[in-house]
């Protein structure tokens, strides 16, 4: 193992003997991003009903319902996230009177068919045609299309965070240069028009002159490469570098050494996924450590945990990092903040239409 746990809050992920290095699965598109696609494809631009609640036992709610081919579909948005539900139309109770006049089921009967936990009596049907655009916009504001990952270089004799942040780019190994090329392309920051992840693109070089960037599966990824960030000879802690990598949820550590890294030296509260990569043969050995509270995520890491330098291996590696960050959003460090954001967005929409 390339890491030592000690009294750290991190734990190495176990490898799976049945796992394989594979390309991107549909699992990448999870939760709210799937809901965006689902709402567009199944609701938006089609006749459907939208129900809102400003105050309920589950907080503010926005529920979209459509009858599609005899099946009712619902998208339930709450502070906990978005849930997709379906139920056969025949399973929803309707009185003879409502059937005769094609009134559809009562909201209480419809919601109870979806789930007994939906507070139907708190819901109000809103027929404002502009609401659909607002609901779509609300969901889009929560979609993450860009990621920033830290990259640190750890060489012989270095076992702590402070030591590896002190490395200079002119001293890196050819193997590490090749790994940076594996991650993405080196771009000039001056005048950069893409996702900049907090880096200075004005030309004053406050965060260095270059960075590593890639577009992958419709996402933009900027890598905060520590050795490309400014080096301060008078600062043993290299706080400017730590300011960027310390605020990244995911940090990659490239190990040009056989000495195990001390996980307890990681002090940032923001770092939740540490991906340790060590050159081995024509590929890389991979160890992933996650902070306590981060739920399980896929893809699983195979045993032995070795991947190549081909496109499929790169997909596997980036897939692991992206899903690792997305899983971190459910940890106690981030989940309450995300819930508060959803609550504000839902309250804004509900307050506007339930005056």
């Amino acid at each position: 193992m390339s890491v030592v746990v000690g009294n750290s809050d991190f734990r190495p992920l176990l490898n799976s003997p049945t796992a394989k290095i594979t390309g991107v699965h549909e699992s990448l598109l999870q939760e709210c991003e799937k809901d965006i696609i689902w709402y567009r494809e199944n609701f938006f631009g089609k006749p459907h009903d939208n129900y809102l609640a400003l105050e309920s036992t589950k907080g503010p709610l926005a529920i979209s319902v459509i009858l599609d081919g005899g099946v009712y579909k619902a998208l339930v948005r709450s502070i906990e996230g978005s849930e997709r539900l379906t139920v056969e139309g025949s399973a929803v109770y309707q009185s003879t009177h409502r059937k005769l006049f094609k009134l559809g089921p009562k909201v209480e009967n419809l919601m109870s068919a979806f789930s007994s936990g939906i507070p139907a009596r708190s819901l109000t049907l809103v027929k404002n045609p502009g609401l659909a655009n607002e609901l779509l916009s609300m969901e889009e504001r929560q979609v993450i299309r860009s990621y920033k990952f830290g990259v640190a270089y750890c060489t012989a004799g270095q076992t702590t965070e402070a030591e590896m942040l002190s490395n200079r780019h002119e001293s890196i190994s050819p193997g590490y240069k090749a790994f940076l090329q594996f991650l993405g392309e080196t771009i000039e920051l001056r005048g950069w028009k893409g996702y900049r992840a907090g880096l200075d693109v004005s030309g004053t070089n406050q965060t260095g002159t270059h960075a590593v960037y890639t577009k992958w599966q419709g996402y933009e990824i900027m890598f905060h490469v520590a050795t490309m960030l400014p080096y301060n000879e008078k600062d043993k802690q290299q706080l400017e570098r730590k300011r960027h990598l310390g605020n990244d949820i995911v940090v990659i550590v490239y190990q040009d050494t056989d000495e195990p890294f001390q996980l307890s030296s990681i002090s940032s509260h923001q770092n939740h996924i540490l991906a340790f990569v060590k050159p081995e043969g024509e590929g890389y050995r991979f160890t992933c450590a996650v902070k306590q509270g981060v739920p399980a995520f896929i893809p699983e890491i195979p045993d032995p945990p070795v991947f190549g330098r081909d496109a499929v291996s790169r997909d596997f590696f980036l897939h692991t990092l992206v899903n690792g960050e997305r899983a971190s959003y459910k940890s106690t460090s981030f989940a309450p903040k995300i819930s508060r954001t959803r609550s504000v967005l839902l309250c804004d929409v509900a307050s506007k239409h339930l005056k």
Side-chain angles (χ1 to χ4, degrees):
M1 185 178 294
S2 56
V3 297
V4 174
V5 177
N7 62 349
S8 168
D9 290 334
F10 287 89
R11 55 180 175 82
L13 291 182
L14 297 177
N15 303 328
S16 170
T18 59
K20 297 180 180 180
I21 301 295
T22 57
V24 180
H25 297 159
E26 188 191 17
S27 59
L28 178 66
L29 300 174
Q30 55 187 325
E31 298 185 357
C32 70
E33 295 198 37
K34 270 193 173 181
D35 294 338
I36 288 281
I37 297 170
W38 209 58
Y39 185 67
R40 279 181 176 155
E41 292 182 352
N42 294 278
F43 297 84
F44 195 73
K46 301 176 182 179
H48 67 281
D49 291 330
N50 289 312
Y51 298 87
L52 298 178
L54 184 57
E55 296 181 359
S56 77
T57 55
K58 291 186 175 294
L61 295 171
I63 301 177
S64 301
V65 178
I66 191 170
L67 179 60
D68 183 12
V71 176
Y72 282 102
K73 299 178 181 179
L75 177 57
V76 182
R77 309 171 189 83
S78 70
I79 62 174
E80 300 301 324
S82 296
E83 185 178 10
R84 296 177 296 172
L85 302 172
T86 59
V87 64
E88 291 290 336
S90 58
V92 181
Y93 172 76
Q94 290 189 61
S95 66
T96 303
H97 171 77
R98 298 189 72 86
K99 286 181 180 179
L100 180 63
F101 290 95
K102 298 182 179 181
L103 299 175
K106 287 185 176 181
V107 62
E108 292 87 352
N109 294 328
L110 181 58
M111 295 302 165
S112 64
F114 282 122
S115 170
S116 60
I118 298 177
R121 293 187 177 182
S122 300
L123 297 173
T124 299
L125 175 63
V126 177
K127 295 187 177 182
N128 187 327
L131 177 57
N133 284 316
E134 293 179 46
L135 291 175
L136 186 61
S137 176
M138 180 186 71
E139 295 289 345
E140 286 176 336
R141 289 173 63 182
Q142 299 172 76
V143 175
I144 297 174
R145 291 292 181 190
S146 53
Y147 292 88
K148 55 186 184 71
F149 299 149
V151 186
Y153 178 57
C154 189
T155 189
Q158 297 180 337
T159 60
T160 67
E161 178 185 56
E163 290 171 337
M164 67 182 180
L165 289 180
S166 297
N167 289 317
R168 307 184 73 160
H169 199 66
E170 55 266 29
S171 302
I172 65 176
S173 68
Y176 182 51
K177 289 181 181 178
F179 178 68
L180 293 179
Q181 293 172 353
F182 173 80
L183 291 179
E185 61 176 314
T186 298
I187 55 100
E188 183 178 1
L189 289 174
R190 180 194 294 267
W192 176 249
K193 301 300 183 183
Y195 174 58
R196 63 188 186 90
L199 298 178
D200 173 34
V201 297
S202 67
T204 58
N205 302 335
Q206 292 185 17
T207 57
T209 59
H210 293 79
V212 175
Y213 166 89
T214 192
K215 280 188 176 180
W216 178 78
Q217 298 295 321
Y219 299 94
E220 291 186 276
I221 302 175
M222 180 67 83
F223 296 93
H224 287 151
V225 181
T227 56
M228 289 183 169
L229 292 167
Y231 174 80
N232 186 345
E233 292 184 356
K234 298 180 180 180
D235 183 5
K236 292 183 178 180
Q237 292 184 303
Q238 298 302 319
L239 292 179
E240 177 61 24
R241 291 176 169 182
K242 187 175 176 62
R243 180 171 70 88
H244 290 284
L245 275 74
N247 281 306
D248 292 330
I249 294 175
V250 175
V251 175
I252 305 164
V253 179
Y254 183 89
Q255 293 181 292
D256 246 347
T257 175
D258 292 326
E259 298 176 62
F261 186 83
Q262 302 288 337
L263 289 175
S264 57
S265 74
I266 301 295
S267 58
S268 170
H269 296 296
Q270 192 81 353
N271 298 156
H272 278 61
I273 306 291
L274 300 177
F276 293 88
V277 176
K278 179 177 171 54
E280 181 167 310
E282 295 300 316
Y284 303 103
R285 179 168 287 270
F286 179 34
T287 300
C288 188
V290 303
K291 185 166 281 189
Q292 300 292 343
V294 175
F297 58 91
I298 54 176
E300 292 182 307
I301 299 173
D303 191 9
V306 177
F307 60 86
R309 304 183 185 187
D310 55 282
V312 171
S313 294
R314 182 174 182 270
D315 270 353
F316 167 82
F317 184 61
L318 294 178
H319 187 188
T320 302
L321 302 185
V322 168
N323 272 5
E325 174 155 332
R326 293 174 69 82
S328 298
Y329 300 156
K330 297 181 181 180
S331 70
T332 54
S333 300
F334 300 109
K337 300 175 186 177
I338 293 173
S339 290
R340 285 195 294 271
T341 299
R342 290 187 65 88
S343 179
V344 169
L345 293 174
L346 286 166
C347 283
D348 284 347
V349 171
S351 297
K352 178 179 178 180
H353 292 277
L354 297 178
K355 293 180 180 179

